[in-house]
Amino acid sequence: MGLPVEARNEFCDRGGVNLVISPEDTGTVHYVLTGGIATDKLGKHHGQYNTLELGEVAPLDVAQIPVSLHLWVRALCTESNVTIRGYGMLQEVHPLQKANGQVQLELQLTSLTPKDIVKQHLFDVYWREEEESTRFNSPFTIESSVPIRDLAEHYMLHVGGFRQHIIYSPRVHNCQPVVSRQTPVLLTVIPHSHTGAEDPTRVGLTTRMITAHVKHHVMLGLAGTVHYNVEPFLTHLSEDPGIQALIMQGNLRLIKWDFEVQGYNPNGLVWHKNRAKALQYNHAILAHWGLDAYLNPVDIDEFMASREPFTVAELVADQRLVPKGQTNLYRYDIRCGTCQGQEADIWLHNSGRNPLLMYNETDWQPRLRGKPILYADTSFSMSIHESGVFHGALQQYRGFLFHLHVVNLFRYRRSASDNDKFSADTVWDWPVRPESMSLPA
């Protein structure tokens, strides 16, 4: 079982399978705008504000905080229109700065190629919650539609408050309609979770956990996994024979994430994994838009599970997944009750058994929000645990699926003081029992 044909066409070149692809290989285009925010000497923002070009003269007693806007854009044919959709995140360079005041973002598209009349299009801007429009580091979605007959070859994209202009050329090929299948595909998306430091132990742990992730979710009936990572981890992953086999089978795609927003010091920034996670989740949503795909965004220490076997077709037919919407899941901690300290060694050193078999205790009280299962066409602004839906889509809780959290993987967070909260109920382990699956030593 591999990625759907449409996804393979997106993620593979004509000559065969690439072990590593770039985000642009999925049809998305990336832009970065830079500017500054005016603040007084105490660092307070002036109510409503726009960005200032760095170096611009600001009012007396006003300083500037450097900012950057990361924007991803993709175009897709929808009936008689071309819809241009993107997502962005406005980031302050200083990682500790808290922004107050209203962020004013107006995005305008102006055709540059010869037409009888130069046409301009305003983007609708969507935030997951209204108050997020006042915050930095919160992803947002933009969307605008252009009649196919009026589609220009090149546009100027202007973002209000920034003096820089973007030249955008829609990458629309053959104008095929969006994909529709009898059974939509369900894919797992895993962001990177480290600073990129060269650490053989962490490389080994990442390799083993990605392998376990892919095999576990394929056993559940999912089509495959998309994993974002950075160097040097990406090279080590792509050189592993087991990882290569999963890629060639169509069950795994590795995407190289090498943008400054990941933050481990290209410009003196302090790395912040949550910013990178949000951007990678949203990139996956945009890349799978139009492919009739549901996404399961999780961290490397989170696994989707259920109390009984299922197929994706059953999930859709029985509406255990919210049709073309967002299914909110609960998240439950699991731990190895016979282990002491962090549990990374379970994944690094075992005799071929699936490491999840070592997890013999479950806390069935949800401690934190689980991540949702998203329908890519109607979801936007995926934050760390929550997303939003638009175009009339629904988001609801469903109890059949849930996420398991390997809570003690990197540090001992749930210790003996929590013993009364864990039980030996591991009914979720049906796909990882010895007769179902094992991992290479």
Side-chain angles (χ1 to χ4, degrees), residues 34-68 90-93 97-104 136 161-162:
T34 57
I37 291 296
T39 68
D40 61 24
K41 287 185 176 181
L42 297 178
K44 295 181 179 179
H45 295 282
H46 288 274
Q48 293 195 346
Y49 55 82
N50 281 327
T51 58
L52 301 170
E53 188 73 9
L54 287 179
E56 181 178 342
V57 177
L60 188 64
D61 292 333
V62 170
Q64 291 185 67
I65 297 176
V67 299
S68 63
L90 192 61
Q91 294 194 317
E92 289 170 288
V93 171
Q97 187 69 39
K98 301 292 185 182
N100 299 300
Q102 183 72 32
V103 178
Q104 297 179 342
F136 281 65
F162 288 89

Side-chain angles (χ1 to χ4, degrees), residues 246-423:
L246 294 173
I247 294 172
M248 300 305 293
Q249 292 163 12
N251 294 131
L252 175 64
R253 288 294 176 265
L254 297 179
I255 298 183
K256 182 178 181 179
W257 193 261
D258 57 358
F259 304 100
E260 292 182 358
V261 70
Q262 64 201 9
Y264 55 92
N265 278 337
N267 283 334
L269 306 185
V270 175
W271 181 81
H272 196 302
K273 65 180 181 181
N274 286 346
R275 295 183 188 179
K277 283 182 185 179
L279 285 171
Q280 290 162 12
Y281 285 150
N282 280 278
H283 180 269
I285 294 172
L286 189 64
H288 289 86
W289 169 40
L291 294 181
D292 202 8
Y294 289 84
L295 304 181
N296 172 45
V298 291
D299 289 344
I300 199 170
D301 59 355
E302 296 170 329
F303 295 79
M304 196 173 80
S306 69
R307 294 176 179 268
E308 59 187 60
F310 65 88
T311 66
V312 174
E314 291 171 344
L315 292 178
V316 176
D318 298 342
Q319 296 194 8
R320 292 173 174 177
L321 289 181
V322 175
K324 299 186 184 301
Q326 175 174 306
T327 308
N328 296 326
L329 306 187
Y330 293 105
R331 186 176 78 160
Y332 304 109
D333 286 349
I334 59 174
R335 72 178 187 181
C336 172
T338 58
C339 302
Q340 297 295 322
Q342 67 181 23
E343 297 168 352
D345 286 346
I346 294 176
W347 300 85
L348 287 168
H349 308 292
N350 67 72
S351 58
R353 299 179 66 203
N354 186 318
L356 285 176
L357 286 171
M358 297 291 291
Y359 289 84
N360 54 4
E361 294 182 352
T362 309
D363 180 358
W364 289 106
Q365 295 298 315
R367 286 173 54 84
L368 291 173
R369 299 181 302 273
K371 293 183 173 69
I373 292 179
L374 312 168
Y375 187 66
D377 288 19
T378 60
S379 293
F380 70 97
S381 296
M382 176 67 190
S383 192
I384 304 306
H385 285 272
E386 297 173 331
S387 180
V389 294
F390 59 166
H391 298 318
L394 297 176
Q395 54 178 329
Q396 299 174 342
Y397 271 94
R398 294 283 197 270
F400 182 78
L401 297 174
F402 46 87
H403 285 134
L404 301 173
H405 179 217
V406 182
V407 64
N408 290 335
L409 179 65
F410 299 115
R411 63 181 186 273
Y412 204 29
R413 294 186 284 190
R414 302 293 302 277
S415 58
S417 62
D418 290 322
N419 284 348
D420 61 330
K421 299 175 183 177
F422 283 84
S423 72

